[in-house]
Amino acid sequence: MDLGDPIAKGNTAKIYLSDSKIVKVFNDFLPPGEAINEANKQKYAYSCGLPVPGILDVTKINGKQAIVMEYVKGETLGDLFLKDKEQAEYYLYISVDMQLKIHSIRPDREAIEPMFNKLSHQIENAEKLTGKQKSVLLKKLDSFTYGNRLCHGDFHLFNLIKTDNQVVVIDWVDSSAGDHRADVYRTYLLYSQVSIELADMYLQLYCDKSGILRTNILHWAPVIAGARLAENVSTENSERLLRIVNQHG
């Protein structure tokens, strides 16, 4: 099947627009159930009433795992921000409103992966962490007491598409049921990679709107930074993540 040229590329997949549908074709190195796993998470978010593209099919295309989903016409808030950085606070404000909506959902624990399991697995598989660092982080994770909230896991302006009448949330592969403060720190960590000013603006907006203390979010810093090391993202600075692990550990 010829899908033409991809409209976007990520760490795990290429995205195509074909017959007014989005086709996400996964890279070969991913485990066999990756497409089904992501599709189920997105279906669950959709079932919660969130603005999420509907899943149309999970299939194989040219021997590769693929998901076919609704096409959402619009621009990401990230692209809009890059066009006019003076509007940063406005776009972050919109994003925080959506993140709070996601965090208001208390998911069925059987329906979505527990955050504890996800973070534990990532920390254990982070090759750049020593055995001692892993032990410290896992003990810290085990000591946390937290509620049960729906967390996106990769929430940032480029995963929010602004259409004519709403904002749609995409890319649910990292979603889990866990502590919303951990999810907020994850977003803060992603923003701070490119701009500490943007990260601080985001965190202040979330704290102001939610009433959660900044210190309670930063409490998650070493665990989330340690878990991110397992992702081996080429654009991420592993030394930066290790500094966070050591500073807060």
Side-chain angles (χ1 to χ4, degrees):
M1 177 185 243
D2 184 14
L3 296 171
D5 295 326
I7 60 171
K9 294 180 182 180
N11 290 317
T12 60
K14 293 183 178 70
I15 309 297
Y16 300 86
L17 177 59
S18 178
D19 295 328
S20 298
K21 301 180 186 71
I22 289 294
V23 182
K24 183 171 186 174
V25 180
F26 291 81
N27 294 335
D28 288 329
F29 64 82
L30 293 163
E34 191 71 16
I36 293 171
N37 178 50
E38 179 172 341
N40 286 341
K41 288 184 174 186
Q42 191 162 317
K43 284 178 182 177
Y44 183 74
Y46 186 94
S47 75
C48 292
L50 293 168
V52 175
I55 298 293
L56 303 175
D57 194 15
V58 180
T59 184
K60 280 199 170 185
I61 295 176
N62 302 329
K64 299 177 186 286
Q65 299 179 74
I67 299 175
V68 183
M69 66 187 85
E70 291 176 340
Y71 169 56
V72 177
K73 187 178 181 181
E75 289 187 87
T76 69
L77 292 186
D79 287 329
L80 293 170
F81 159 71
L82 291 178
K83 289 179 181 178
D84 186 0
K85 293 186 178 180
E86 295 297 316
Q87 295 296 312
E89 187 171 4
Y90 170 68
Y91 293 126
L92 286 173
Y93 192 95
I94 293 172
S95 76
V96 166
D97 273 348
M98 180 56 69
Q99 196 171 24
L100 285 167
K101 187 174 182 180
I102 294 169
H103 291 165
S104 71
I105 294 169
R106 298 182 182 273
D108 180 350
R109 290 182 185 272
E110 302 301 317
I112 196 160
E113 182 181 13
M115 179 185 285
F116 180 90
N117 295 1
K118 186 174 189 297
L119 293 175
S120 297
H121 179 75
Q122 287 179 307
I123 290 168
E124 287 167 354
N125 287 278
E127 293 179 1
K128 291 185 182 294
L129 292 174
T130 66
K132 184 178 179 181
Q133 286 171 321
K134 290 179 183 180
S135 178
V136 168
L137 290 175
L138 290 170
K139 284 178 183 175
K140 187 178 283 289
L141 175 61
D142 197 42
S143 72
F144 289 161
T145 302
Y146 53 89
N148 177 44
R149 304 292 184 97
L150 182 60
C151 297
H152 182 274
D154 196 28
F155 192 88
H156 53 75
L157 294 176
F158 287 95
N159 276 336
L160 298 167
I161 298 175
K162 189 176 188 302
T163 69
D164 289 338
N165 56 6
Q166 66 176 343
V167 172
V168 176
V169 189
I170 61 172
D171 202 0
W172 286 85
V173 64
D174 291 310
S175 60
S176 64
D179 194 300
H180 51 303
R181 293 165 296 187
D183 199 41
V184 175
Y185 184 77
R186 163 77 179 195
T187 299
Y188 175 83
L189 184 68
L190 295 176
Y191 286 147
S192 66
Q193 179 185 346
V194 292
S195 168
I196 193 65
E197 183 182 3
L198 188 73
D200 284 337
M201 185 186 293
Y202 156 75
L203 191 57
Q204 189 62 52
L205 281 170
Y206 190 95
C207 290
D208 288 346
K209 280 178 160 283
S210 67
I212 295 174
L213 295 176
R214 179 187 176 95
T215 52
N216 289 342
I217 291 167
L218 296 180
H219 190 54
W220 280 91
V223 168
I224 301 302
R228 178 141 173 89
L229 281 165
E231 298 174 38
N232 296 314
V233 179
S234 59
T235 56
E236 178 61 273
N237 183 341
S238 59
E239 294 304 315
R240 175 182 89 105
L241 297 176
L242 286 168
R243 282 197 300 273
I244 294 169
V245 168
N246 293 327
Q247 285 169 3
H248 296 269

